Amino acid sequence: MSVARNLLLKASDSKWLRENGTKAPFVRRAVSRFMPGESFDDMVVAARAMAADGVTAVFTRLGENVKDLAEADGVARHYLYGIDRIHKLNLACEPSIKLTQLGLDIDRELAYGHLRDLAAQAHAAGNYLWVDMEQSPYVDVTLDLTRRLRAEFPRVGVCLQAYLYRTREDLVELMARGIGIRLVKGAYNEPAEVAFPKKSDVDANYFALAQLMLDAGSRAAGARPVFGTHDMTLIDSIRRHAATTGVKPAEFEFHMLYGIQKAAQLRLAHDGASVRVLIAYGAYWFPWYMRRLAERPANVGFALRQILP
Ligand SMILES: Cc1cc2nc3c(=O)[nH]c(=O)nc-3n(C[C@H](O)[C@H](O)[C@H](O)COP(=O)(O)OP(=O)(O)OC[C@H]3O[C@@H](n4cnc5c(N)ncnc54)[C@H](O)[C@@H]3O)c2cc1C
């Protein structure tokens, strides 16, 4: 792992930086590249603009590791409101949440209760619920709670990270239960005991897992294969593999992040691929923004250039 990536991921955990760095106007200017604003309505404006270009959306309110009961309840209420608003606006926009936002660090059953409420609301609205994946100590509990949810609600998916050695096994087991998979490379600082340290190994594992996700046998239970990546080489390889094995473009999707590779998002949608963009919003953006910088340390240069008016 590069030194810059390591430093940025360490910075993402710094309380001091979060409290002080986020006040600097140039940081706020730089982060606006990755999020349309802090409010739900800012997200809706962005999702509507993309819908006009044939790109649908996923929404997430930024936040993680909530330690306060009332705050976790507030997060759940916000998502219930969001799912309802999206339904009334008739917008193709799916919620995606982090379990630690719903109070997982306080109590597992509390988080599950909130998760279940969100799944019930999404189900009633004909929507779909995505569960994000956080650091490796949370993988088992995230998958356990997602399986429990899937036993009750059919339209549920979870993010899996290609950098983890364990992911192949998880993927096979979850797809057999009809749980949707959003495959990503992985955004956290993980030790070599659990994750491939070399990027080339992560990329190779991603493609191997993608092939498995497109296999008719893996999809037999109805699991939704989603590729969450901006890596155009990988995207081209996945599309080529699908074409040669007879998997139709409507049978798999690409999800990307707001503000990253916008031209490619539009080109893919124009080419007939199913494309969604995850739009993040909210006031608690610091650790998430640091992870975006770590993904591409050249972004730090971009952020620093924002110091200039
Ligand atoms: C829809 C979606 C949901 C995600 N959910 C999760 C999750 O729940 N858990 C999790 O651990 N991770 C999540 N991630 C993040 C993911 O793990 C990666 O860190 C991130 O997508 C970067 O990897 P990449 O596949 O784009 O490939 P990379 O090899 O990192 O990037 C490929 C190319 O994309 C462009 N690019 C990538 N990132 C950036 C950036 N930040 N700024 C500018 N250009 C960039 C660059 O041109 C780069 O060369 C999610 C990503 C997406 C797209």
Side-chain angles (χ1 to χ4, degrees), residues 152-200:
E152 264 193 274
F153 302 100
R155 294 162 59 79
V156 171
V158 68
C159 177
L160 290 182
Q161 299 150 324
Y163 62 19
L164 296 183
Y165 306 131
R166 61 176 287 171
T167 291
R168 187 183 185 89
E169 214 172 300
D170 291 333
L171 190 148
V172 169
E173 190 262 333
L174 294 163
M175 285 191 83
R177 291 173 188 260
I179 294 174
I181 304 293
R182 175 177 79 210
L183 183 67
V184 302
K185 290 189 186 175
Y188 299 90
N189 208 354
E190 296 291 357
E193 292 78 57
V194 300
F196 294 102
K198 274 171 62 190
K199 188 176 178 333
S200 54

Side-chain angles (χ1 to χ4, degrees), residues 249-282:
E251 293 176 310
F252 61 99
E253 296 164 49
F254 294 104
H255 289 190
M256 301 198 194
L257 300 179
Y258 177 89
I260 302 181
Q261 306 276 45
K262 175 142 194 235
Q265 295 167 11
L266 297 178
R267 202 169 52 245
L268 276 172
H270 187 255
D271 257 20
S274 304
V275 185
R276 276 187 191 268
V277 168
L278 188 150
I279 310 173
Y281 61 95

Side-chain angles (χ1 to χ4, degrees), residues 5 33-34 98 131-134 159 161 163 182 184-188 199 203 206 227-232 234 255-257 259-261 276-278 291-296 299:
R5 179 170 188 263
R33 176 186 172 195
F34 296 110
K98 285 188 174 31
V131 182
D132 291 356
M133 189 55 76
E134 301 177 67
C159 177
Q161 299 150 324
Y163 62 19
R182 175 177 79 210
V184 302
K185 290 189 186 175
Y188 299 90
K199 188 176 178 333
D203 292 355
Y206 193 111
F227 304 107
T229 182
H230 316 92
D231 184 332
M232 292 314 293
L234 257 180
H255 289 190
M256 301 198 194
L257 300 179
I260 302 181
Q261 306 276 45
R276 276 187 191 268
V277 168
L278 188 150
R291 291 197 291 273
R292 300 294 78 80
L293 293 185
E295 280 155 7
R296 196 160 173 254
N299 286 343

